[in-house]
Amino acid sequence: MLIKMYNDRIHRPELASKIITDFEAAALIKDGMVVGTSGFTKSGDSKAVLPALAEMAKENPLKITLISGASLGNNTDGKLADAGALHMRMPFQVDPVLRKHINNGNIYFIDQHLSETSEVVKADTFGDMDIAIIEACQILSDGSIVPTTSIGNSAVFAEKAKKIIIELNLAMPIALHGIHDIFSAGVYPKRVPIPIVIPDNKIGRTSIELDPAKIVAIVITDQHDSPADIAEPDEATTNISNHLLEFFNNEVKCGRLKENLMPLQAGIGKVANSVLRGFINSKFSNLTMFSEVLQDSTFDLIDAGKMNYASGSSITVSAKYREMIFNNLEYYKHKIVLRPQEISNSVGLIRRLGVISINTALECDIYGNVNSTHVSGTHMMNGIGGSEDFARNSYMSIFVTSSIAKGGSVSSIVPMVTHVDHTEHDVDVIVTDKGLADLRGLSPRQRAQVVIDNCVHEDYKAQLQDYFDRALLRGGHTPHLIEEAFKWHANLAEKGTMKFM
């Protein structure tokens, strides 16, 4: 009877006997287990089993190590954290409740390059993976599964986990089958080349291969991904976008780029969406994308005829755009592809394709070092994600940030960043709402002056120039006043502002 209800979803009849409830599936997870879950930037994540585990943990305490592709939706991380169910979490998160537990030391968090997580799992760094929870829209006759709106690390979890729980999501259209390109380069020392030379090369399967005998449970769900929080462009993000477009126009004029640029990568969020949308009214065309996340602006560019093809690991969009995309999947199938993050974030591919990366900074210093993760050097925000996968290996590495934050009490350009995620060696361009600093071909002293002249808010420019002038008198290849380098942050902690005057 059950298989008849889901015969368009489950093409291997004997698996119908594996259908159980979310709480029955959650009960299979025991204290101390290493658990992998699908999900990448709130898309394609566990929507039933992990929330059920959080509820059960309130009465029956346990702690697990939870590994994902990137962040989860539906406040799942927060629910697990508050229930005391997490011992360790990796490699990325955006949940404010989980963040509080991490910063209080209640939960261990490994902030990791997204390209490296699959390598850690393949190498059994944390021991065997006990259970993987993977969202799918179909189970095919060979036992393989069709993922939904993300791949992330699902393929390597399916390979390495002893047992697999599938969340079969009826809200996800079967027409998603065909947008995935699942390929693995293998394990050391027998890794193979990844034969992608342009973003629209497809080289793998459209479903995740696995051993059906490892499937211990199938949980039926009917729930959409948590929608992306898409804010409208404001003056600051619009200015950043305009500065970047002017820069790209000049690169074309100088013959360093053509009007189709190079494959684009952009981090997720308000600034990234604003920057990408700026291309709609520009002269640039025939654009391509080799990124992690396909967001609203990606589809705006496709619909405007500006972008020909986009490669990522997840579709993370607002509710409005999700409906539009799902209603037109046959059209978009020929213009997008989703890949495992070991491919979307492969440093070799990023370098081979000549990607232009655009990522967000919390703060930058005058020499071009970037802090993407830690507030005042100590408190984790979200994590490095894939930004350094791209920054270190891109043809051009760009970081964007508003010049000030917290109503002007914080300058995003400081003498020395309090935590270094991206060194000056990996940063080519810094852009704020005030202007753009092209740091290519400049020595440290030259870089510092260009950053001060172009990127600093007027409320902080004289203060930062004074610091640099006095540092120059002291000398050094990279002049600093070590005793004052973090005075701005100390003043913020003591007086609520980085301003001295």
Side-chain angles (χ1 to χ4, degrees), residues 37 66 71 95 150-151 162 174 190 199 207 211 289 311-312 325 333 345 367-368 442 446 456 459 483 488 493 501:
T37 181
L66 182 63
S71 54
D95 190 282
S150 74
I151 300 181
K162 296 176 184 175
I174 293 173
K190 297 182 179 180
S207 60
D211 178 2
M289 175 174 282
S311 170
I325 294 162
K333 265 186 183 180
N345 289 56
Y367 296 109
L442 300 182
Q446 292 171 311
V456 181
D459 288 356
E483 70 278 12
W488 293 37
M501 318 169 206

mmCIF file of all heavy atoms in Angstrom, residues 37 66 71 95 150-151 162 174 190 199 207 211 289 311-312 325 333 345 367-368 442 446 456 459 483 488 493 501:
data_model
loop_
_atom_site.group_PDB
_atom_site.id
_atom_site.type_symbol
_atom_site.label_atom_id
_atom_site.label_comp_id
_atom_site.label_asym_id
_atom_site.label_seq_id
_atom_site.Cartn_x
_atom_site.Cartn_y
_atom_site.Cartn_z
ATOM 1 N N THR A 37 24.842 15.283 7.769
ATOM 2 C CA THR A 37 23.532 15.681 7.275
ATOM 3 C C THR A 37 23.650 16.488 5.991
ATOM 4 O O THR A 37 24.573 17.289 5.831
ATOM 5 C CB THR A 37 22.752 16.505 8.326
ATOM 6 O OG1 THR A 37 21.460 16.858 7.792
ATOM 7 C CG2 THR A 37 23.483 17.781 8.700
ATOM 8 N N LEU A 66 28.152 16.706 14.679
ATOM 9 C CA LEU A 66 27.312 16.917 13.501
ATOM 10 C C LEU A 66 28.112 17.621 12.406
ATOM 11 O O LEU A 66 28.655 18.703 12.614
ATOM 12 C CB LEU A 66 26.084 17.754 13.869
ATOM 13 C CG LEU A 66 25.090 18.017 12.732
ATOM 14 C CD1 LEU A 66 24.485 16.700 12.229
ATOM 15 C CD2 LEU A 66 23.981 18.962 13.194
ATOM 16 N N SER A 71 25.434 25.697 6.301
ATOM 17 C CA SER A 71 24.443 25.984 7.335
ATOM 18 C C SER A 71 23.138 25.232 7.091
ATOM 19 O O SER A 71 22.809 24.845 5.968
ATOM 20 C CB SER A 71 24.168 27.494 7.377
ATOM 21 O OG SER A 71 23.800 27.968 6.095
ATOM 22 N N ASP A 95 23.392 30.118 12.696
ATOM 23 C CA ASP A 95 22.316 30.195 13.679
ATOM 24 C C ASP A 95 22.742 31.011 14.904
ATOM 25 O O ASP A 95 23.766 30.710 15.528
ATOM 26 C CB ASP A 95 21.926 28.780 14.118
ATOM 27 C CG ASP A 95 20.665 28.771 14.941
ATOM 28 O OD1 ASP A 95 20.735 29.113 16.148
ATOM 29 O OD2 ASP A 95 19.602 28.441 14.394
ATOM 30 N N SER A 150 20.255 21.053 -2.864
ATOM 31 C CA SER A 150 21.693 21.166 -2.616
ATOM 32 C C SER A 150 22.327 19.792 -2.696
ATOM 33 O O SER A 150 21.633 18.766 -2.599
ATOM 34 C CB SER A 150 21.988 21.797 -1.246
ATOM 35 O OG SER A 150 21.730 20.875 -0.193
ATOM 36 N N ILE A 151 23.630 19.791 -2.886
ATOM 37 C CA ILE A 151 24.387 18.539 -2.783
ATOM 38 C C ILE A 151 25.343 18.628 -1.595
ATOM 39 O O ILE A 151 25.357 17.762 -0.731
ATOM 40 C CB ILE A 151 25.165 18.226 -4.078
ATOM 41 C CG1 ILE A 151 24.196 18.095 -5.252
ATOM 42 C CG2 ILE A 151 25.951 16.923 -3.900
ATOM 43 C CD1 ILE A 151 24.871 17.770 -6.561
ATOM 44 N N LYS A 162 27.879 4.382 7.879
ATOM 45 C CA LYS A 162 27.485 2.989 8.069
ATOM 46 C C LYS A 162 26.005 2.795 7.767
ATOM 47 O O LYS A 162 25.593 1.768 7.215
ATOM 48 C CB LYS A 162 27.754 2.563 9.514
ATOM 49 C CG LYS A 162 29.205 2.574 9.946
ATOM 50 C CD LYS A 162 29.296 2.213 11.429
ATOM 51 C CE LYS A 162 30.701 2.304 11.960
ATOM 52 N NZ LYS A 162 30.727 2.060 13.430
ATOM 53 N N ILE A 174 9.900 16.339 -8.618
ATOM 54 C CA ILE A 174 10.690 15.287 -9.251
ATOM 55 C C ILE A 174 11.507 15.862 -10.398
ATOM 56 O O ILE A 174 12.573 15.336 -10.744
ATOM 57 C CB ILE A 174 9.758 14.156 -9.740
ATOM 58 C CG1 ILE A 174 9.124 13.460 -8.529
ATOM 59 C CG2 ILE A 174 10.504 13.155 -10.598
ATOM 60 C CD1 ILE A 174 8.057 12.446 -8.896
ATOM 61 N N LYS A 190 45.172 7.895 -4.904
ATOM 62 C CA LYS A 190 44.688 7.540 -6.236
ATOM 63 C C LYS A 190 43.622 8.510 -6.740
ATOM 64 O O LYS A 190 42.680 8.120 -7.423
ATOM 65 C CB LYS A 190 44.145 6.108 -6.226
ATOM 66 C CG LYS A 190 45.200 5.056 -5.907
ATOM 67 C CD LYS A 190 44.635 3.660 -5.951
ATOM 68 C CE LYS A 190 45.702 2.613 -5.657
ATOM 69 N NZ LYS A 190 45.161 1.232 -5.696
ATOM 70 N N PRO A 199 32.439 26.225 -16.980
ATOM 71 C CA PRO A 199 31.436 25.980 -15.940
ATOM 72 C C PRO A 199 30.317 25.032 -16.334
ATOM 73 O O PRO A 199 29.743 24.362 -15.476
ATOM 74 C CB PRO A 199 30.888 27.387 -15.660
ATOM 75 C CG PRO A 199 32.027 28.296 -15.964
ATOM 76 C CD PRO A 199 32.700 27.667 -17.154
ATOM 77 N N SER A 207 22.412 11.315 -9.959
ATOM 78 C CA SER A 207 21.929 10.835 -8.664
ATOM 79 C C SER A 207 23.117 10.374 -7.836
ATOM 80 O O SER A 207 24.204 10.114 -8.363
ATOM 81 C CB SER A 207 20.924 9.686 -8.847
ATOM 82 O OG SER A 207 21.533 8.600 -9.536
ATOM 83 N N ASP A 211 24.826 2.183 -1.450
ATOM 84 C CA ASP A 211 24.448 0.789 -1.219
ATOM 85 C C ASP A 211 23.070 0.776 -0.558
ATOM 86 O O ASP A 211 22.931 1.223 0.586
ATOM 87 C CB ASP A 211 25.483 0.123 -0.314
ATOM 88 C CG ASP A 211 25.138 -1.323 0.014
ATOM 89 O OD1 ASP A 211 24.116 -1.830 -0.497
ATOM 90 O OD2 ASP A 211 25.897 -1.942 0.801
ATOM 91 N N MET A 289 28.930 31.665 -14.107
ATOM 92 C CA MET A 289 29.168 31.624 -12.663
ATOM 93 C C MET A 289 29.724 30.260 -12.286
ATOM 94 O O MET A 289 29.223 29.229 -12.744
ATOM 95 C CB MET A 289 27.864 31.902 -11.908
ATOM 96 C CG MET A 289 27.974 31.770 -10.398
ATOM 97 S SD MET A 289 26.458 32.278 -9.550
ATOM 98 C CE MET A 289 26.651 34.056 -9.625
ATOM 99 N N SER A 311 27.008 27.496 -12.158
ATOM 100 C CA SER A 311 27.345 26.260 -11.450
ATOM 101 C C SER A 311 27.477 26.552 -9.969
ATOM 102 O O SER A 311 28.127 27.532 -9.572
ATOM 103 C CB SER A 311 28.672 25.703 -11.993
ATOM 104 O OG SER A 311 29.145 24.640 -11.187
ATOM 105 N N GLY A 312 26.852 25.723 -9.127
ATOM 106 C CA GLY A 312 26.944 25.912 -7.683
ATOM 107 C C GLY A 312 26.765 24.591 -6.955
ATOM 108 O O GLY A 312 26.791 23.517 -7.566
ATOM 109 N N ILE A 325 11.191 29.437 -9.792
ATOM 110 C CA ILE A 325 12.149 28.450 -10.298
ATOM 111 C C ILE A 325 11.487 27.088 -10.433
ATOM 112 O O ILE A 325 11.630 26.405 -11.460
ATOM 113 C CB ILE A 325 13.374 28.385 -9.368
ATOM 114 C CG1 ILE A 325 14.148 29.706 -9.406
ATOM 115 C CG2 ILE A 325 14.290 27.228 -9.757
ATOM 116 C CD1 ILE A 325 15.094 29.891 -8.242
ATOM 117 N N LYS A 333 16.893 24.132 -16.119
ATOM 118 C CA LYS A 333 17.750 22.946 -16.132
ATOM 119 C C LYS A 333 18.917 23.082 -17.102
ATOM 120 O O LYS A 333 19.981 22.499 -16.894
ATOM 121 C CB LYS A 333 16.927 21.714 -16.519
ATOM 122 C CG LYS A 333 16.389 20.911 -15.365
ATOM 123 C CD LYS A 333 15.734 19.647 -15.896
ATOM 124 C CE LYS A 333 15.119 18.865 -14.756
ATOM 125 N NZ LYS A 333 14.478 17.622 -15.249
ATOM 126 N N ASN A 345 33.972 23.803 -4.874
ATOM 127 C CA ASN A 345 35.009 24.534 -4.149
ATOM 128 C C ASN A 345 36.406 23.977 -4.400
ATOM 129 O O ASN A 345 37.338 24.280 -3.652
ATOM 130 C CB ASN A 345 34.719 24.501 -2.640
ATOM 131 C CG ASN A 345 33.531 25.344 -2.262
ATOM 132 O OD1 ASN A 345 32.435 25.154 -2.776
ATOM 133 N ND2 ASN A 345 33.728 26.277 -1.363
ATOM 134 N N TYR A 367 46.710 46.979 5.259
ATOM 135 C CA TYR A 367 47.606 46.246 4.372
ATOM 136 C C TYR A 367 46.882 45.205 3.524
ATOM 137 O O TYR A 367 47.485 44.571 2.669
ATOM 138 C CB TYR A 367 48.733 45.607 5.176
ATOM 139 C CG TYR A 367 49.607 46.650 5.820
ATOM 140 C CD1 TYR A 367 49.586 46.861 7.190
ATOM 141 C CD2 TYR A 367 50.422 47.472 5.038
ATOM 142 C CE1 TYR A 367 50.360 47.855 7.778
ATOM 143 C CE2 TYR A 367 51.195 48.464 5.614
ATOM 144 C CZ TYR A 367 51.164 48.658 6.980
ATOM 145 O OH TYR A 367 51.931 49.646 7.543
ATOM 146 N N GLY A 368 45.579 45.029 3.784
ATOM 147 C CA GLY A 368 44.798 44.109 2.965
ATOM 148 C C GLY A 368 44.478 42.784 3.611
ATOM 149 O O GLY A 368 43.885 41.915 2.972
ATOM 150 N N LEU A 442 51.215 46.356 -5.663
ATOM 151 C CA LEU A 442 51.631 47.379 -4.710
ATOM 152 C C LEU A 442 52.376 46.748 -3.537
ATOM 153 O O LEU A 442 52.051 45.643 -3.087
ATOM 154 C CB LEU A 442 50.419 48.147 -4.178
ATOM 155 C CG LEU A 442 49.550 48.887 -5.203
ATOM 156 C CD1 LEU A 442 48.422 49.620 -4.494
ATOM 157 C CD2 LEU A 442 50.369 49.847 -6.049
ATOM 158 N N GLN A 446 52.479 51.104 -0.046
ATOM 159 C CA GLN A 446 51.599 51.639 -1.078
ATOM 160 C C GLN A 446 50.164 51.170 -0.869
ATOM 161 O O GLN A 446 49.215 51.945 -1.050
ATOM 162 C CB GLN A 446 52.097 51.190 -2.460
ATOM 163 C CG GLN A 446 53.427 51.807 -2.884
ATOM 164 C CD GLN A 446 53.966 51.171 -4.151
ATOM 165 O OE1 GLN A 446 54.031 49.944 -4.270
ATOM 166 N NE2 GLN A 446 54.353 52.011 -5.109
ATOM 167 N N VAL A 456 38.117 54.246 3.400
ATOM 168 C CA VAL A 456 37.806 54.577 4.792
ATOM 169 C C VAL A 456 36.704 55.633 4.864
ATOM 170 O O VAL A 456 36.698 56.602 4.098
ATOM 171 C CB VAL A 456 39.074 55.062 5.520
ATOM 172 C CG1 VAL A 456 38.775 55.378 6.979
ATOM 173 C CG2 VAL A 456 40.174 54.009 5.414
ATOM 174 N N ASP A 459 34.631 59.684 8.845
ATOM 175 C CA ASP A 459 34.713 59.817 10.307
ATOM 176 C C ASP A 459 35.997 59.199 10.872
ATOM 177 O O ASP A 459 36.387 59.501 12.001
ATOM 178 C CB ASP A 459 33.512 59.134 10.966
ATOM 179 C CG ASP A 459 32.215 59.915 10.763
ATOM 180 O OD1 ASP A 459 32.278 61.018 10.187
ATOM 181 O OD2 ASP A 459 31.155 59.403 11.167
ATOM 182 N N GLU A 483 51.864 48.571 19.935
ATOM 183 C CA GLU A 483 51.155 48.874 21.186
ATOM 184 C C GLU A 483 49.808 49.554 20.937
ATOM 185 O O GLU A 483 48.970 49.634 21.842
ATOM 186 C CB GLU A 483 52.036 49.747 22.097
ATOM 187 C CG GLU A 483 52.240 51.188 21.610
ATOM 188 C CD GLU A 483 53.337 51.323 20.567
ATOM 189 O OE1 GLU A 483 53.801 50.289 20.037
ATOM 190 O OE2 GLU A 483 53.724 52.465 20.282
ATOM 191 N N TRP A 488 41.887 50.553 18.704
ATOM 192 C CA TRP A 488 40.538 50.841 18.208
ATOM 193 C C TRP A 488 39.523 49.850 18.789
ATOM 194 O O TRP A 488 38.440 50.241 19.225
ATOM 195 C CB TRP A 488 40.513 50.755 16.687
ATOM 196 C CG TRP A 488 41.313 51.810 15.977
ATOM 197 C CD1 TRP A 488 42.505 52.352 16.359
ATOM 198 C CD2 TRP A 488 40.959 52.462 14.754
ATOM 199 N NE1 TRP A 488 42.923 53.280 15.450
ATOM 200 C CE2 TRP A 488 41.998 53.360 14.451
ATOM 201 C CE3 TRP A 488 39.887 52.350 13.889
ATOM 202 C CZ2 TRP A 488 41.986 54.166 13.317
ATOM 203 C CZ3 TRP A 488 39.858 53.141 12.746
ATOM 204 C CH2 TRP A 488 40.892 54.045 12.462
ATOM 205 N N ALA A 493 35.374 48.261 22.976
ATOM 206 C CA ALA A 493 34.921 47.459 24.105
ATOM 207 C C ALA A 493 34.680 48.309 25.344
ATOM 208 O O ALA A 493 33.749 48.080 26.114
ATOM 209 C CB ALA A 493 35.952 46.371 24.412
ATOM 210 N N MET A 501 38.116 60.759 18.881
ATOM 211 C CA MET A 501 37.904 62.213 18.988
ATOM 212 C C MET A 501 36.422 62.525 18.868
ATOM 213 O O MET A 501 35.689 61.827 18.255
ATOM 214 C CB MET A 501 38.659 62.937 17.873
ATOM 215 C CG MET A 501 40.054 62.392 17.609
ATOM 216 S SD MET A 501 40.744 63.064 16.088
ATOM 217 C CE MET A 501 41.867 61.760 15.656
#
